[in-house]
Amino acid sequence: MANNLMLSRIQFAANISFHILFPTINIALCWFLLFFKVRYRQTGKETWMRVYRFWVKIFALTFALGVVSGITMSFQFGTNWPGYMETVGNIAGPLLGYEVLTAFFLEATFLSVMLFGIGRVSDRVHTLATLVVAIGTTMSAFWIIALDSWMQTPQGHTMIDGVAHATNWWQIIFNPSMPYRLTHMLLASGLTAAFFIAGISAYRLLQGDPKPAPKLALKVSSTVALVLIPLQIFVGDLHGLNTLKHQPAKVAAMEGLWHSDSHVPLVLFALVDEAEKTNHWALEIPSLASLILTHKTDGYIKGLNEFSGEHPPVAPVFYGFRIMVATGLLMLLTAALLVYYQYFHSRVKQSPQQQKNTAQGLPRWLLKLTLLMTFSGWLATLAGWYVTEVGRQPYLVTGVLKTADAVTTVPSSHIALSLALYLTVYGVLIVAYIKTLFVMAKRAIALENDQGNNQKPQHKQPQEKLTGEQDYAAY
C-alpha cells in the first residue's frame, strides 16, 4: 500500500504539473488577445490585428493541450483515488461538472468564432467572442480553485456515515482561503502569459524581425508584468496570513520553523534536515518572519513540533516556496529593465557602436535575458502549486480525508506502468509544444516585411480573411 500511495501521488503530480502549464498561460492570454482586438478597433492600426492573429493561433494550440491533459487527469479520480470521490464526491462532482460546462460551452464554442470568424462575422461579434472565451477561461479557473480551496479549508458540509454532504454551497464555494487563492492564481496566470509573450517576442527581435508587431507585443506584456508583480507580492502576503490562520503547519514548513517561538527569523536559505529536525547553514534575518506573519517583531508562531505526525514533508514546501519567491524577484527585475529601456532609455541617442548591440532599439543582452525568462511563469507557478498541495499533506481534504485513505488498491506494478507511459507522452508533448512555438515565430520572421502598419484602413472591414502567405505575412 505504501508503494501505491507514493506512485499514485507521483502520477497525479506529474499529470497536474503538465496540465497546469497550459491553463496558466491561457487564462490570461485570452485577456491579452481581447486587449489587442479592442486596441485595433479603437485605433484602426493594422499592427494590433497582426499581433492578435499571431497570438490567437498560439492560444488555440495551448488550449488544445490543456483540454487533452485535463481529461486524462480527471480519470485518475477513479483509477488512483477511488476513496476521494466516495468520500467527497457529493461536493467535488458538482464543482468539477460546472468547470466542464464552462470550459466546453463557453470556451470551446466561441473559440471557433475567434479562430475562424474573421471575415465571416462582423468585427463586433468577433470581439464579443474573444470576450466570452476570456470569461470562460476565468470561470473555469474559478470552479477549479473553489474546489481546491475547499479541500484546503473545508466548510459548509456535514459528514454522514463517512461521506461529506453539502449543507451550504455558498460556504463551500467561498471558503476561507478561496478569495486569496483565486486572486493569487489569476495574477500568476497574468505574469506567466506576460513573460510568455515577452520571451517569444524577444526571440523574434533577436532573430532580426523588422516588423513592429513583436516590439509592440513586448512593450504591452512587459508593462503588464511590471504592474502585476507588486500586486502579486501584496496578495501573496495576504494569502500567507490567511494560511497562517487556517493551515499553520504549512506555514511552519514554508518557514522551516521546527519549534514554536517568538522573534522568529526569516530563513532566506538553509539545508533542511528532517531527520534531525533542524536547519544547517541557515542564512537568516532576525525577527523578520514574526514581523511579516504577525506584524510584530516578537510575534509568536507555531513550529512543526506542535503538529507531530500531522505536518507536511518539510523540504519540498520549504524549497518550493523559495524557488517561487526568487523567480518572482527575477521577473520583477527583468520587467523593470524592459520598461526602462522601452519608455525612457529609447529617447537617448545611441552611438553607431551601441546600435550594433541593439535590436529595434533594445539591448541584445536584455532581449536574451527576456528570452530565458519565457517560461519563468511556469517555474514560479509549479513551485507555488507544490507548496500549496504538498503543504496540505497528510490530508487530501484537510481534517476530513487523509491521502492514504483514498488511494487505490490495484497492484503497484500497474500504477508504475501507467506512470511511465504518462511521463513518456508528456515529455514528447512538451518538447513538441515548445518547438512548435518557435517554429511559428520563425515562420513569422521569414515572411515578407510588414508594410503600412500604422495606416488607418480605408474600408470598414480591414480584418478580411487572409489565406496562405497573406495570412502568415500578417504576423
Side-chain angles (χ1 to χ4, degrees), residues 50 53 57 115-120 443 447-448 462-475:
R50 297 172 190 232
R53 283 180 176 275
K57 294 179 183 293
L115 292 176
F116 308 113
I118 297 178
R120 293 184 174 90
R443 180 75 185 274
L447 294 169
E448 64 182 280
Q463 74 286 357
E464 73 275 13
K465 180 178 180 293
L466 303 177
T467 59
E469 290 296 297
Q470 287 180 307
D471 188 38
Y472 281 101
Y475 298 163

Short mmCIF file of all heavy atoms in Angstrom, two decimals, residues 50 53 57 115-120 443 447-448 462-475:
data_model
loop_
_atom_site.label_atom_id
_atom_site.label_comp_id
_atom_site.label_asym_id
_atom_site.label_seq_id
_atom_site.Cartn_x
_atom_site.Cartn_y
_atom_site.Cartn_z
N ARG A 50 -2.44 42.32 -36.31
CA ARG A 50 -1.40 41.34 -36.65
C ARG A 50 -0.85 40.67 -35.40
O ARG A 50 -0.52 39.49 -35.42
CB ARG A 50 -0.32 42.03 -37.48
CG ARG A 50 -0.90 42.53 -38.79
CD ARG A 50 0.06 43.40 -39.58
NE ARG A 50 -0.69 44.01 -40.69
CZ ARG A 50 -0.32 43.97 -41.95
NH1 ARG A 50 0.77 43.34 -42.30
NH2 ARG A 50 -1.06 44.55 -42.87
N ARG A 53 -3.52 38.15 -34.52
CA ARG A 53 -3.53 36.96 -35.38
C ARG A 53 -2.42 35.97 -34.99
O ARG A 53 -2.63 34.76 -35.01
CB ARG A 53 -3.35 37.37 -36.85
CG ARG A 53 -4.59 37.92 -37.51
CD ARG A 53 -4.29 38.30 -38.95
NE ARG A 53 -5.47 38.76 -39.64
CZ ARG A 53 -6.36 37.97 -40.24
NH1 ARG A 53 -6.19 36.66 -40.21
NH2 ARG A 53 -7.40 38.48 -40.86
N LYS A 57 -3.41 32.00 -32.61
CA LYS A 57 -3.05 30.64 -33.02
C LYS A 57 -2.30 29.91 -31.91
O LYS A 57 -2.50 28.71 -31.69
CB LYS A 57 -2.21 30.69 -34.31
CG LYS A 57 -2.97 31.21 -35.52
CD LYS A 57 -2.10 31.27 -36.74
CE LYS A 57 -2.85 31.87 -37.92
NZ LYS A 57 -3.95 31.00 -38.40
N LEU A 115 -11.19 31.80 -33.95
CA LEU A 115 -10.22 31.29 -34.90
C LEU A 115 -10.66 31.43 -36.35
O LEU A 115 -9.86 31.74 -37.23
CB LEU A 115 -9.95 29.82 -34.60
CG LEU A 115 -9.21 29.50 -33.30
CD1 LEU A 115 -9.11 28.01 -33.10
CD2 LEU A 115 -7.84 30.14 -33.29
N PHE A 116 -11.94 31.20 -36.61
CA PHE A 116 -12.40 31.11 -38.00
C PHE A 116 -13.43 32.18 -38.38
O PHE A 116 -13.93 32.18 -39.49
CB PHE A 116 -13.02 29.73 -38.26
CG PHE A 116 -12.12 28.60 -37.84
CD1 PHE A 116 -12.47 27.76 -36.79
CD2 PHE A 116 -10.91 28.38 -38.49
CE1 PHE A 116 -11.63 26.72 -36.39
CE2 PHE A 116 -10.07 27.35 -38.10
CZ PHE A 116 -10.43 26.52 -37.06
N GLY A 117 -13.74 33.08 -37.44
CA GLY A 117 -14.79 34.05 -37.71
C GLY A 117 -14.34 35.34 -38.37
O GLY A 117 -15.17 36.13 -38.82
N ILE A 118 -13.02 35.57 -38.41
CA ILE A 118 -12.54 36.81 -39.02
C ILE A 118 -12.91 36.83 -40.50
O ILE A 118 -12.55 35.94 -41.26
CB ILE A 118 -11.01 36.95 -38.86
CG1 ILE A 118 -10.65 37.03 -37.38
CG2 ILE A 118 -10.50 38.18 -39.61
CD1 ILE A 118 -9.17 37.13 -37.12
N GLY A 119 -13.66 37.86 -40.91
CA GLY A 119 -14.12 37.95 -42.28
C GLY A 119 -15.44 37.23 -42.52
O GLY A 119 -16.03 37.39 -43.58
N ARG A 120 -15.87 36.42 -41.54
CA ARG A 120 -17.14 35.69 -41.70
C ARG A 120 -18.24 36.26 -40.80
O ARG A 120 -19.42 36.09 -41.09
CB ARG A 120 -16.93 34.21 -41.38
CG ARG A 120 -16.02 33.48 -42.37
CD ARG A 120 -15.93 32.00 -42.04
NE ARG A 120 -15.18 31.26 -43.06
CZ ARG A 120 -13.89 31.05 -43.04
NH1 ARG A 120 -13.17 31.54 -42.03
NH2 ARG A 120 -13.29 30.38 -44.01
N ARG A 443 8.60 31.22 -38.61
CA ARG A 443 7.79 31.36 -39.83
C ARG A 443 7.34 32.81 -39.99
O ARG A 443 7.35 33.36 -41.10
CB ARG A 443 6.58 30.44 -39.76
CG ARG A 443 5.68 30.51 -40.99
CD ARG A 443 6.31 29.78 -42.15
NE ARG A 443 5.51 29.93 -43.35
CZ ARG A 443 4.49 29.17 -43.69
NH1 ARG A 443 4.11 28.18 -42.87
NH2 ARG A 443 3.84 29.35 -44.81
N LEU A 447 8.75 35.60 -43.29
CA LEU A 447 7.87 36.12 -44.33
C LEU A 447 8.08 37.61 -44.54
O LEU A 447 8.75 38.29 -43.77
CB LEU A 447 6.42 35.81 -43.97
CG LEU A 447 6.12 34.30 -43.99
CD1 LEU A 447 4.77 34.01 -43.39
CD2 LEU A 447 6.19 33.76 -45.41
N GLU A 448 7.46 38.13 -45.56
CA GLU A 448 7.73 39.49 -46.03
C GLU A 448 7.53 40.53 -44.95
O GLU A 448 6.79 40.33 -43.99
CB GLU A 448 6.82 39.82 -47.22
CG GLU A 448 5.34 39.84 -46.85
CD GLU A 448 4.47 40.11 -48.04
OE1 GLU A 448 4.35 41.28 -48.42
OE2 GLU A 448 3.91 39.15 -48.59
N PRO A 462 -11.28 45.91 -42.32
CA PRO A 462 -9.89 45.70 -42.71
C PRO A 462 -9.37 44.33 -42.32
O PRO A 462 -8.33 43.91 -42.78
CB PRO A 462 -9.14 46.79 -41.92
CG PRO A 462 -10.00 47.01 -40.71
CD PRO A 462 -11.41 46.85 -41.20
N GLN A 463 -10.11 43.65 -41.47
CA GLN A 463 -9.64 42.36 -41.00
C GLN A 463 -10.17 41.22 -41.84
O GLN A 463 -10.42 40.13 -41.35
CB GLN A 463 -10.04 42.17 -39.52
CG GLN A 463 -11.52 41.88 -39.27
CD GLN A 463 -12.40 43.09 -39.46
OE1 GLN A 463 -11.92 44.17 -39.74
NE2 GLN A 463 -13.69 42.92 -39.33
N GLU A 464 -10.35 41.47 -43.16
CA GLU A 464 -10.90 40.43 -44.00
C GLU A 464 -10.05 39.16 -43.94
O GLU A 464 -8.87 39.21 -43.64
CB GLU A 464 -11.01 40.91 -45.46
CG GLU A 464 -9.68 41.03 -46.20
CD GLU A 464 -8.99 42.34 -45.97
OE1 GLU A 464 -9.40 43.08 -45.05
OE2 GLU A 464 -8.03 42.63 -46.68
N LYS A 465 -10.66 38.05 -44.24
CA LYS A 465 -9.99 36.76 -44.16
C LYS A 465 -8.78 36.73 -45.09
O LYS A 465 -8.86 37.07 -46.25
CB LYS A 465 -10.96 35.65 -44.54
CG LYS A 465 -10.34 34.26 -44.47
CD LYS A 465 -11.38 33.22 -44.80
CE LYS A 465 -10.76 31.83 -44.74
NZ LYS A 465 -9.76 31.60 -45.77
N LEU A 466 -7.65 36.35 -44.53
CA LEU A 466 -6.44 36.18 -45.32
C LEU A 466 -6.14 34.70 -45.45
O LEU A 466 -6.48 33.91 -44.59
CB LEU A 466 -5.27 36.90 -44.64
CG LEU A 466 -5.47 38.40 -44.36
CD1 LEU A 466 -4.27 38.94 -43.61
CD2 LEU A 466 -5.68 39.17 -45.65
N THR A 467 -5.48 34.36 -46.52
CA THR A 467 -5.16 32.95 -46.73
C THR A 467 -3.70 32.81 -47.12
O THR A 467 -3.06 33.75 -47.60
CB THR A 467 -6.04 32.35 -47.85
OG1 THR A 467 -5.81 33.08 -49.04
CG2 THR A 467 -7.50 32.39 -47.47
N GLY A 468 -3.18 31.60 -46.98
CA GLY A 468 -1.82 31.28 -47.43
C GLY A 468 -0.79 32.21 -46.89
O GLY A 468 -0.73 32.54 -45.73
N GLU A 469 0.08 32.69 -47.80
CA GLU A 469 1.17 33.57 -47.40
C GLU A 469 0.66 34.87 -46.83
O GLU A 469 1.27 35.45 -45.94
CB GLU A 469 2.09 33.84 -48.61
CG GLU A 469 2.89 32.64 -49.02
CD GLU A 469 3.86 32.21 -47.93
OE1 GLU A 469 4.76 32.99 -47.60
OE2 GLU A 469 3.68 31.10 -47.41
N GLN A 470 -0.50 35.37 -47.31
CA GLN A 470 -1.05 36.61 -46.78
C GLN A 470 -1.35 36.47 -45.29
O GLN A 470 -1.12 37.38 -44.51
CB GLN A 470 -2.34 36.97 -47.52
CG GLN A 470 -2.11 37.48 -48.93
CD GLN A 470 -3.43 37.82 -49.57
OE1 GLN A 470 -4.34 37.00 -49.60
NE2 GLN A 470 -3.54 39.03 -50.06
N ASP A 471 -1.91 35.32 -44.93
CA ASP A 471 -2.29 35.10 -43.52
C ASP A 471 -1.07 35.15 -42.63
O ASP A 471 -1.04 35.81 -41.61
CB ASP A 471 -3.00 33.76 -43.40
CG ASP A 471 -3.58 33.58 -42.00
OD1 ASP A 471 -4.08 34.56 -41.44
OD2 ASP A 471 -3.52 32.45 -41.50
N TYR A 472 0.00 34.45 -43.00
CA TYR A 472 1.20 34.43 -42.19
C TYR A 472 1.93 35.77 -42.26
O TYR A 472 2.59 36.18 -41.31
CB TYR A 472 2.13 33.30 -42.61
CG TYR A 472 1.68 31.97 -42.07
CD1 TYR A 472 1.01 31.05 -42.86
CD2 TYR A 472 1.94 31.64 -40.74
CE1 TYR A 472 0.59 29.83 -42.35
CE2 TYR A 472 1.51 30.43 -40.22
CZ TYR A 472 0.85 29.52 -41.03
OH TYR A 472 0.44 28.33 -40.52
N ALA A 473 1.85 36.45 -43.37
CA ALA A 473 2.52 37.75 -43.50
C ALA A 473 1.93 38.76 -42.53
O ALA A 473 2.57 39.73 -42.18
CB ALA A 473 2.41 38.27 -44.92
N ALA A 474 0.70 38.51 -42.09
CA ALA A 474 0.05 39.42 -41.17
C ALA A 474 0.70 39.39 -39.78
O ALA A 474 0.36 40.19 -38.94
CB ALA A 474 -1.43 39.09 -41.05
N TYR A 475 1.60 38.45 -39.54
CA TYR A 475 2.25 38.39 -38.24
C TYR A 475 3.31 39.49 -38.11
O TYR A 475 3.88 39.64 -37.06
CB TYR A 475 2.93 37.03 -38.02
CG TYR A 475 1.98 35.87 -38.04
CD1 TYR A 475 2.45 34.59 -38.21
CD2 TYR A 475 0.62 36.05 -37.86
CE1 TYR A 475 1.60 33.50 -38.21
CE2 TYR A 475 -0.24 34.98 -37.87
CZ TYR A 475 0.26 33.71 -38.05
OH TYR A 475 -0.58 32.63 -38.06
#
